[in-house]
Amino acid sequence: KKKKSESLNDQLTKEEAYDELIPLLSSDSETILQALSRYGAIVKREKKQNKKDSTSMKALTQITELCNICMMKFDDGGNIYDSTRLKMQAFLQQSDREASLKRKSEAQSNGNGKRPKTDDSSVKEKKQINWEYRGNEDNLIHGPYSTQQMVEWIRSGYFVGSMAVDVRIVADKTSNTKIGDANQKKEDTVNDLLDDLEDSDNEDSPKEKANEPTDNDWSRSDAVNFESYL
């Protein structure tokens, strides 16, 4: 049993060791050294009362073994005894973030550990996708707006339900025909959007225009998965 226990300890990661140590501390600010002193005092009292195999004794033994593992296997050194619950929890949170980033990176890699080759032209084209929408009130075409901007508006509750509008992708070759000042302030863009949405509440259907584009190019904004274009 002892050899099996030693083998399991050899496989223990720093995160697993901290996971076992954290519940043994009585508060966020108690250090491991203080916990050892606390459990030691309890064990002494229990020995006088002839208590054996107490919970405090098991906790004292577990802390001691885990600290030895941390000093031998990891970079804690003697500092492990100064660690508090908060400090160990902060380490685990950081470790979780790093592990999550690593998983995302691996998911984007192929079996050889290299990122899959992509067609640069298709990637570039996807990043350049812009959108325009047809106002419900003025029936005019507004845009172009980036896919990210459309996603943010949808998430904020615009362009859905009763406020849905006709949208379509702007082709690269025509994207510049409807672009206004490239340095237009974001505040003006948002105000333009809000004005159109406010007007849409007062109309049941868009006005007809003589030069209205064909409907074959348009889709309803609440039926488009904009995030799939990011």
Side-chain angles (χ1 to χ4, degrees), residues 25-72:
L25 301 180
S26 63
S27 67
D28 289 341
S29 59
E30 183 181 50
T31 66
I32 291 180
L33 185 61
Q34 291 171 338
L36 287 172
S37 178
R38 175 170 55 83
Y39 283 118
I42 296 175
V43 169
K44 286 181 179 180
R45 290 197 302 268
E46 291 176 341
K47 282 185 177 180
K48 293 180 180 180
Q49 299 171 3
N50 293 324
K51 289 186 178 180
K52 297 180 180 180
D53 297 328
S54 68
T55 302
S56 297
M57 186 63 194
K58 291 179 181 178
L60 184 64
T61 302
Q62 187 178 5
I63 292 177
T64 302
E65 291 178 351
L66 290 170
C67 287
N68 288 337
I69 293 172
C70 290
M71 287 191 294
M72 290 187 296

Side-chain angles (χ1 to χ4, degrees), residues 158-174:
Y158 302 119
F159 293 158
V160 294
S162 62
M163 294 187 292
V165 293
D166 290 332
V167 297
R168 68 180 177 184
I169 294 177
V170 181
D172 289 342
K173 61 181 180 181
T174 61

